[in-house]
């Protein structure tokens, strides 16, 4: 479903690669966690994947379509929830979702159906016709999620989705993520909350200083009695030790 | 007292670099900017005074009293905005109220900040005015000494009046916030009324000053009127007299005492109301929605992008005012300007020149209407990432913004053309409007191009991004130059054998400009959008 092939990215004016030779592969129907400490390169990778940042080397294929050579076609397959949940705050929730749906050419009936469903899960029906400016942080996150899912993307990408969410909202979001993956789609999200990744994901990878440190199957880890936290601390500790 | 001064210092540092002693360079730059502005205002005033006072106006206590009164009235309008902005709507209220200070200390620091802002504003206006009056009137040491004292005292009266006016104004603003369309209409009406009064005044003056003999008579009448009215202006006449004679300086301490008493009374009266009005501004507003049918309207991406632009801009009266003031008032301003031009009696060549002047003002207004495009991309702010993730081509997105702006500019241009047909030959209006239309489209494309080259998209929130848009001043200047050159071309060609030919040439140039800028935009968009990182 998602192939990141030898991705290398550096920012303008910097000689250091923010991401270096990163290659990972995601399957349909799985929830994949993307772990790393602050500044490891998680957001950079995600922003390159969804088309926000250009990258110097490598390629990213979404369902076989290259984000470099066929960006519009690739973007049609992606739904993205940013880390700052920025949305057009002067629009109402309905206007925002309708606008996003129109950009992805989703038929009105499908929009109505999916909205009904997602509004029910997120308990946002009452606020749907009020300006997003009046929403709380959690509500903005939810409307951002609805906007990202309205076209039923094959690949759903979330950047630090659980930051700042209350327990109820976090539970609702995880429920939707599981449901989306169960329908044969792929969910790819970055986080530094290990417990969530451990309980939610099928597989995960750890990135540190822009380089892939390892890919882990969480079912296998559980079977072996190993904890993700131990692995993470060992990996991060080793790579930080290299720099001394 | 120390806490009040610390609070005041904190707020001043937030507004300006003038007191940033830790950074002498920043302080120096801030001081230089103020000095440059002051010199520019003095130079402009000196130029205007030379033209006016050489006609024979007498500088006396009555004139000074009237000038003081008019300046205070003008200042009052800005002071109301200053009081509301600083006391009630300032974003730092939420931070400052949490500091370990009493409500009184907080409130007094705010009042002092208002005073210092008024002092700066008044100094910028009054200092050059006093200087020019003194030089042209040949006034003595008493005048200049008193002028310096008045600079410190005169801000007090507008602050007192504005403090009381701000309470009902805040109620009206709160009402208008809930009714956006009404707010926009009120804003436009106020501006239209103000402009109408200004144009009427200019028209009357232009008529009176047409003939030299009439000028002398008018100046005498004005001098007599000033003597009559100026001597009846309470407080300001007495202050003006004190400026001209040291023997009347006892009035100044009396005025100072009056200011002090009124200021203390104002603070005591306003303070209880202040927290009742200011604190709800810090709360999240709960918006009650009107019941709507469950509707999702399907549009093609291009139309949806235009609609989104419209909703985001027209839901903010301040953005409508900032970006579409000239667009919405274009027909009215041009009509008023044409009325002024019609007071001039001319021969045929002169009529063609007047038509050229008409095209100049229409073109300038049209270019000013396009300024919103110079921050069209930056205005998206933190939402810009949406432009890069959606499956819609970059040029389609930019073209939607161009179309959005063009709809309003060309609409206003059409309305202006229809009204102008009552004053000018239809063929001149039609050809002139076509030329301005093409030039306007080219200018919009240029503005967008400038913003794409230099966007400010990493900030949070819409207003901050559009305020920080770097391209707006350059786009404004280029627009003025384009409008001026268009009018100048027609004015210089006013004696051409075939009156139509200059218009056809102008249309050709404007069309070329539009096509060239759109082509440059197409070339730039793909590469530039890819390189914008957030």
């Amino acid at each position: 479903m998602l192939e990141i092939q030898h991705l290398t990215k550096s920012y303008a004016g910097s000689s250091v690669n923010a991401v270096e030779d990163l290659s990972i592969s995601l399957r349909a129907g799985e929830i994949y966690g993307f772990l790393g400490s602050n500044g490891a390169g998680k957001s950079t990778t995600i922003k390159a994947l969804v088309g926000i940042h250009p990258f110097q080397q490598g390629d990213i294929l979404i369902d076989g379509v290259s984000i470099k050579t066929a960006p519009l076609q690739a973007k049609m397959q992606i739904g993205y929830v940013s880390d700052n949940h920025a949305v057009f705050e002067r629009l109402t929730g309905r206007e925002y979702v309708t606008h996003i749906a129109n950009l992805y050419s989703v038929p009105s009936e499908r929009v109505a159906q999916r909205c009904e469903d997602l509004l029910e899960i997120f308990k946002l029906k009452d606020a749907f016709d009020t300006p997003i400016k009046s929403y709380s942080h959690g509500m903005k996150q939810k409307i951002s999620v609805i906007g990202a899912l309205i076209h039923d993307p094959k690949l759903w990408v979330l950047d630090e989705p659980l930051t700042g969410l209350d327990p109820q909202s976090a539970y609702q979001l995880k429920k939707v993520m599981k449901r989306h993956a169960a329908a044969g789609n792929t969910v790819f999200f970055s986080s530094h909350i290990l417990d969530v990744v451990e309980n939610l994901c099928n597989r995960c990878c750890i990135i540190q200083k822009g380089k892939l440190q390892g890919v882990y199957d969480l079912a296998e880890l559980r079977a072996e009695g190993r904890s993700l936290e131990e692995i993470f601390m060992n990996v991060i500790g080793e790579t930080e030790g290299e720099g001394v | 007292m120390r806490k009040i001064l610390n609070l005041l210092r904190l707020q001043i540092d937030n507004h300006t670099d003038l007191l940033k002693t830790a950074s002498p360079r920043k302080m120096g730059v801030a001081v230089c900017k103020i000095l440059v502005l002051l010199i520019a205002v003095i130079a402009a005033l000196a130029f205007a005074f030379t033209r006016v006072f050489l006609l024979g106006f007498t500088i006396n206590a009555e004139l000074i009293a009237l000038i003081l009164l008019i300046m205070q009235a003008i200042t009052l309008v800005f002071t109301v905005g200053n009081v509301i902005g600083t006391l009630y709507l300032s974003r730092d209220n939420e931070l400052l109220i949490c500091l370990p200070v009493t409500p009184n200390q907080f409130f007094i620091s705010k009042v002092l900040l208002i005073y210092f802002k008024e002092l700066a504003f008044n100094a910028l206006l009054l200092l050059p005015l006093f200087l020019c009056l003194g030089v042209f009137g040949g006034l003595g040491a008493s005048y200049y000494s008193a002028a310096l004292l008045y600079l410190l005292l005169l801000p007090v009266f507008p602050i007192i009046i504005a403090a009381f006016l701000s309470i009902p104004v805040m109620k009206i603003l709160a009402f208008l916030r809930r009714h956006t369309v009404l707010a926009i209409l009120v804003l436009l009406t106020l501006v239209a009324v103000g402009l109408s009064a200004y144009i009427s005044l200019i028209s009357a003056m232009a008529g009176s000053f047409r003939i030299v003999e009439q000028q002398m008579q008018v100046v005498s009448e004005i001098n007599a009127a000033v003597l009559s009215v100026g001597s009846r202006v309470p407080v300001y006449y007495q202050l003006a007299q004190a400026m001209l004679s040291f023997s009347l300086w006892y009035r100044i301490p009396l005025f100072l005492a009056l200011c002090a008493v009124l200021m203390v009374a104002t603070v005591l009266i306003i303070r209880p109301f202040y927290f009742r009005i200011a604190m709800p501004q810090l709360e999240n507003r709960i918006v009650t929605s009107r019941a709507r049918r469950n509707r999702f309207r399907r549009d093609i991406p291009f139309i949806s992008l235009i609609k989104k632009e419209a909703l985001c801009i027209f839901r903010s009266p301040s953005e409508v005012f900032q970006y579409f003031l000239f667009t919405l008032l274009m027909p009215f301003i041009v009509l008023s300007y044409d009325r002024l031009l019609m007071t001039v009696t001319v021969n045929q060549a002169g009529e063609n020149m007047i038509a050229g002047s008409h095209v100049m003002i229409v073109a300038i207004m049209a270019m000013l209407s396009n300024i919103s495009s110079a921050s069209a991309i930056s205005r998206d702010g933190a939402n810009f990432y949406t432009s890069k993730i959606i499956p819609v081509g970059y040029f389609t997105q930019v073209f939607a913004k161009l179309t959005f702006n063009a709809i309003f500019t060309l609409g206003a241009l059409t309305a202006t053309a229809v009204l102008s047909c009552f004053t000018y030959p239809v063929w001149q209006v039609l050809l002139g409007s076509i030329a301005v239309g093409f030039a306007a489209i080219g200018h919009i494309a240029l503005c967008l191009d400038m913003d794409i080259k230099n966007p400010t998209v990493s900030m949070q929130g819409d207003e901050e991004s559009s305020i920080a848009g770097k391209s707006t001043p350059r786009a404004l200047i280029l627009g003025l130059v384009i409008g001026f050159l268009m009018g100048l071309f027609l004015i210089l060609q006013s004696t051409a054998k075939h009156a139509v030919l200059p218009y056809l040439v102008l249309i050709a140039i404007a069309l070329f400009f539009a096509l060239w800028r759109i082509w440059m935009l197409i070339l730039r968009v793909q590469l530039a959008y890819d390189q914008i990182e957030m």
Side-chain angles (χ1 to χ4, degrees):
Chain A
M1 176 61 226
L2 172 67
E3 290 263 351
I4 299 178
Q5 297 171 346
H6 305 288
L7 175 68
T8 299
K9 157 79 187 164
S10 63
Y11 287 100
S14 171
S15 56
V16 174
N17 287 331
V19 177
E20 192 168 326
D21 197 27
L22 178 70
S23 294
I24 53 174
S25 180
L26 275 67
R27 300 186 284 257
E30 73 173 336
I31 302 178
Y32 197 103
F34 194 34
L35 287 169
S37 49
N38 289 338
K42 302 189 299 297
S43 287
T44 303
T45 304
I46 282 177
K47 284 178 179 174
L49 156 61
V50 298
I52 294 175
H53 285 165
F55 48 91
Q56 284 74 27
Q57 289 175 40
D59 204 351
I60 299 174
L61 304 172
I62 295 103
D63 205 18
V65 180
S66 166
I67 193 84
K68 254 186 171 174
T69 56
L72 299 188
Q73 206 181 334
K75 287 172 186 177
M76 207 63 168
Q77 317 282 357
I78 305 173
Y80 172 60
V81 178
S82 72
D83 53 349
N84 61 8
H85 321 311
V87 285
F88 295 102
E89 295 193 354
R90 291 201 188 128
L91 303 182
T92 63
R94 183 185 300 275
E95 287 166 350
Y96 173 73
V97 171
T98 305
H99 174 58
I100 298 295
N102 286 333
L103 296 176
Y104 286 89
S105 303
V106 183
S108 307
E109 320 77 54
R110 286 266 300 279
V111 175
Q113 205 177 7
R114 291 194 66 77
C115 270
E116 185 70 33
D117 177 39
L118 290 166
L119 288 172
E120 185 60 44
I121 294 173
F122 287 124
K123 309 275 185 282
L124 259 191
K125 262 190 182 161
D126 290 341
F128 198 44
D129 287 299
T130 58
I132 294 174
K133 205 170 184 173
S134 64
Y135 286 14
S136 66
H137 171 78
M139 289 164 76
K140 285 181 188 172
Q141 164 83 322
K142 289 173 191 175
I143 204 68
S144 184
V145 166
I146 295 174
L149 290 178
I150 200 65
H151 59 292
D152 201 16
K154 285 190 181 161
L155 173 65
W156 185 18
V157 181
L158 305 96
D159 197 350
E160 310 273 2
L162 300 167
T163 308
L165 285 190
D166 60 74
Q168 190 180 13
S169 301
Y171 173 77
Q172 289 162 351
L173 180 60
K174 283 185 272 185
K175 187 172 153 186
V176 173
M177 287 164 78
K178 284 180 195 167
R179 206 179 69 157
H180 195 69
N185 304 305
T186 305
V187 179
F188 179 58
F189 75 100
S190 70
S191 183
H192 48 256
I193 308 174
L194 298 174
D195 289 342
V196 169
V197 172
E198 201 163 22
N199 293 322
L200 192 57
C201 297
N202 303 106
R203 290 192 298 157
C204 72
C205 69
I206 298 174
I207 182 173
Q208 179 66 0
K209 292 181 183 169
K211 294 181 186 163
L212 183 69
Q213 303 301 313
V215 179
Y216 307 93
D217 187 313
L218 288 150
E220 281 177 16
L221 288 182
R222 278 192 287 272
E224 289 165 13
R226 292 166 70 193
S227 100
L228 184 60
E229 188 181 25
E230 270 179 46
I231 294 171
F232 184 84
M233 297 316 291
N234 286 338
V235 166
I236 300 302
E238 277 170 15
T239 40
E240 280 182 354
E242 280 169 21
V244 174
Chain B
M1 190 62 193
R2 186 187 266 186
K3 279 193 178 176
I4 294 172
L5 291 176
N6 280 340
L7 276 175
L8 178 63
R9 173 79 183 256
L10 190 60
Q11 291 172 83
I12 291 176
D13 279 350
N14 197 29
H15 281 94
T16 174
D17 291 339
L18 268 177
L19 297 181
K20 284 187 180 154
T21 48
S23 173
R25 189 187 152 273
K26 279 187 180 176
M27 266 179 72
V29 168
V31 168
C32 285
K33 278 183 188 170
I34 290 169
L35 283 174
V36 165
L37 193 58
L38 210 52
I39 291 168
V41 173
I42 290 173
L45 263 179
F47 176 75
F49 270 50
T50 312
R51 305 293 295 265
V52 170
F53 283 99
L54 281 178
L55 293 170
F57 289 105
T58 314
I59 296 178
N60 47 29
E62 288 81 3
L63 179 67
I64 294 173
L66 274 177
I67 288 174
L68 286 178
L69 180 68
I70 292 167
M71 292 310 298
Q72 293 270 275
I74 293 171
T75 310
L76 179 62
V77 175
F78 293 99
T79 309
V80 172
N82 180 15
V83 166
I84 290 174
T86 304
L87 273 184
Y88 302 109
L89 302 180
S90 178
R91 290 183 188 189
D92 60 16
N93 283 354
E94 197 170 350
L95 173 68
L96 296 175
I97 201 78
C98 298
L99 295 175
V101 294
T102 64
N104 279 338
Q105 288 168 335
F106 170 75
F107 180 66
I108 292 169
S109 75
K110 286 277 172 184
V111 172
L112 285 175
L113 179 66
I114 291 169
Y115 172 75
F116 279 110
K117 279 169 139 179
E118 284 306 305
L119 187 62
F121 181 67
N122 271 270
L124 195 63
L125 291 179
L126 286 177
L127 198 60
L129 196 62
F130 281 152
L131 201 61
C132 290
L133 279 173
V135 167
F136 282 89
L139 303 175
S142 165
Y143 169 80
Y144 291 104
S145 313
L148 283 173
L149 283 172
Y150 289 179
L151 276 178
L152 296 172
L153 295 177
L154 284 173
V156 173
F157 267 15
I159 291 174
I160 291 167
I161 300 170
F164 286 98
L165 279 181
S166 64
I167 296 171
V169 169
M170 278 299 295
K171 297 285 182 197
I172 293 169
L173 283 179
F175 173 78
L176 289 176
R177 259 199 206 154
R178 295 191 295 274
H179 302 85
T180 314
V181 174
L182 187 60
I184 293 168
L185 286 173
V186 165
L187 260 174
L188 291 176
T189 307
L190 284 172
V191 174
V193 164
L195 270 171
S196 177
Y198 173 72
I199 297 283
S200 298
L201 183 65
I202 298 293
S203 296
M205 285 169 61
S208 300
F209 283 87
R210 222 179 308 157
I211 303 165
V212 173
E213 294 79 26
Q214 253 189 345
Q215 281 180 9
M216 300 309 295
Q217 189 187 340
V218 167
V219 168
S220 295
E221 284 171 5
I222 290 176
N223 277 334
V226 164
L227 274 174
S228 165
V229 175
S231 58
R232 293 192 199 129
V233 178
V235 181
Y236 294 106
Y237 179 57
Q238 282 73 35
L239 286 175
Q241 284 182 317
M243 286 180 101
L244 301 179
S245 169
F246 277 116
S247 62
L248 297 173
W249 265 49
Y250 67 88
R251 293 177 181 176
I252 296 177
L254 287 175
F255 182 61
L256 176 62
L258 178 66
C259 287
V261 166
L262 287 174
M263 198 61 169
V264 168
T266 303
V267 167
L268 290 172
I269 295 169
I270 295 296
R271 189 208 162 290
F273 290 99
Y274 168 62
F275 286 100
R276 226 179 290 165
I277 298 171
M279 292 303 107
Q281 306 301 323
L282 302 179
E283 293 167 7
N284 283 326
R285 198 160 57 96
I286 296 164
V287 178
T288 51
S289 65
R290 292 172 227 147
R292 289 170 190 258
R293 288 188 300 134
N294 188 7
R295 229 163 44 96
F296 294 96
R297 193 192 159 112
R298 177 78 195 274
D299 286 308
I300 59 172
F302 182 73
I303 299 296
S304 193
L305 287 164
I306 293 176
K307 276 187 177 174
K308 186 267 297 176
E309 255 339 89
L311 286 173
C312 286
I313 288 182
F314 283 98
R315 281 194 179 149
S316 167
S318 61
E319 286 216 12
V320 170
F321 187 82
Q322 185 180 348
Y323 293 126
F324 289 103
L325 178 67
F326 293 108
T327 316
L328 297 167
L329 291 180
M330 189 199 300
F332 176 78
I333 291 172
V334 171
L335 193 67
S336 303
Y337 182 76
D338 285 341
R339 270 179 49 206
L340 194 61
L341 283 177
M342 288 301 119
T343 59
V344 180
T345 310
V346 291
N347 59 18
Q348 182 57 46
E351 279 184 7
N352 289 338
M353 284 178 71
I354 286 176
S357 301
H358 166 81
V359 169
M360 184 187 290
I361 190 68
V362 171
I364 286 174
M365 292 303 300
M367 302 309 146
L368 289 176
S369 304
N370 299 336
I371 294 308
S372 62
S373 291
S375 58
I377 282 88
S378 297
R379 200 164 51 231
D380 284 342
N383 293 314
F384 179 75
Y385 80 93
T386 327
S387 302
K388 302 198 81 179
I389 67 169
I390 55 175
V392 179
Y394 295 147
F395 183 71
T396 305
Q397 296 180 52
V398 170
F399 195 66
K401 290 181 187 282
L402 187 152
T403 306
F404 172 71
N405 197 157
I407 287 170
F408 290 94
T409 300
L410 297 179
L413 202 54
T414 306
T416 306
V418 167
L419 289 173
S420 300
C421 286
F422 292 99
T423 313
Y424 299 99
V426 175
W427 70 266
Q428 270 183 340
V429 172
L430 187 63
L431 295 180
S433 299
I434 291 172
V436 172
F438 284 138
I441 290 171
H443 185 239
I444 295 172
L446 175 64
C447 292
L448 285 165
D449 193 20
M450 288 163 71
D451 197 26
I452 290 169
K453 272 194 288 196
N454 231 339
T456 318
V457 293
S458 57
M459 293 182 180
Q460 293 290 335
D462 304 323
E463 291 176 13
E464 290 165 17
S465 290
S466 57
I467 287 166
K470 301 170 205 166
S471 307
T472 303
R474 272 185 293 142
L476 182 70
I477 292 168
L478 280 170
L480 290 172
V481 168
I482 291 170
F484 177 74
L485 287 176
M486 288 182 78
L488 186 65
F489 175 79
L490 288 177
I491 289 169
L492 291 175
Q493 297 297 317
S494 56
T495 51
K497 216 175 180 181
H498 304 287
V500 180
L501 193 57
Y503 285 87
L504 295 176
V505 169
L506 194 63
I507 288 174
I509 296 171
L511 178 59
F512 173 76
F513 173 67
L515 292 172
W516 169 50
R517 290 318 316 179
I518 290 175
W519 177 240
M520 293 304 293
L521 191 62
I522 293 170
L523 291 178
R524 182 161 334 269
V525 160
Q526 184 62 41
L527 181 63
Y529 258 60
D530 263 343
Q531 301 307 317
I532 298 172
E533 292 177 344
M534 342 179 25

